[in-house]
Amino acid sequence: MTNFTGSCMCGKASYHADTEALFTAHCHCQNCRKSSTTGHASLILLPADALTVTGDLSRYSWTADSGHKITKHFCGTCGCLVYQENDALPEGRGIAVNLLDDPEVFAAQVVVYSSRALSWDQPATGIPAFPEMPPIPGA
């Protein structure tokens, strides 16, 4: 897929990118679970310079286990996660799959933090799963 469009629940924040995904993942870390309000978050990493985001966004940053800063950007009105950044990958932005106009186009390539998956949301078999975050090349 090369045309990614989506918007939040209230429609005041949206994203668009016409590019190939760098990779796709399910993440079971606690922060992704909390921001997605379920057992994991599903993200598509896109080149930062190809992503256009509109709307009034709020953000939350923290230092991950790796020591890298993660920043999640949310709609300032309805609170939906729109995208996230990782300072280890400044050239990428992870868009929230649940906001895609057609979320059925998503297929996860990997699962990260599988060791933190909840008993009721275990990773699917057949997808490479990493117990924690694998090393990021060049980070």
Side-chain angles (χ1 to χ4, degrees):
M1 180 176 180
T2 60
N3 188 14
F4 299 94
T5 60
S7 61
C8 65
M9 193 164 46
C10 71
K12 291 185 178 176
S14 64
Y15 57 66
H16 174 265
D18 191 10
T19 186
E20 291 290 333
L22 299 173
F23 72 85
T24 61
H26 292 307
C27 181
H28 288 269
C29 80
Q30 182 177 0
N31 282 316
C32 281
R33 290 194 321 255
K34 287 185 175 189
S35 69
S36 70
T37 71
T38 190
H40 69 275
S42 299
L43 300 165
I44 299 172
L45 188 72
L46 301 173
D49 60 359
L51 181 64
T52 301
V53 178
T54 60
D56 182 27
L57 303 181
S58 58
R59 66 179 170 258
Y60 174 72
S61 299
W62 75 95
T63 302
D65 297 348
S66 64
H68 292 287
K69 180 181 172 185
I70 309 293
T71 302
K72 293 196 179 218
H73 300 262
F74 303 88
C75 172
T77 301
C78 69
C80 285
L81 173 65
V82 178
Y83 75 98
Q84 70 181 43
E85 300 171 83
N86 181 332
D87 71 0
L89 294 166
E91 69 281 1
R93 300 288 183 271
I95 60 170
V97 169
N98 55 314
L99 300 189
L100 281 170
D101 292 334
D102 182 9
E104 290 294 331
V105 301
F106 175 78
Q109 295 171 310
V110 298
V111 176
V112 296
Y113 290 105
S114 64
S115 66
R116 300 179 191 189
L118 301 172
S119 63
W120 49 267
D121 189 29
Q122 290 295 299
T125 57
I127 301 173
F130 296 89
E132 302 295 319
M133 180 62 80
I136 298 171

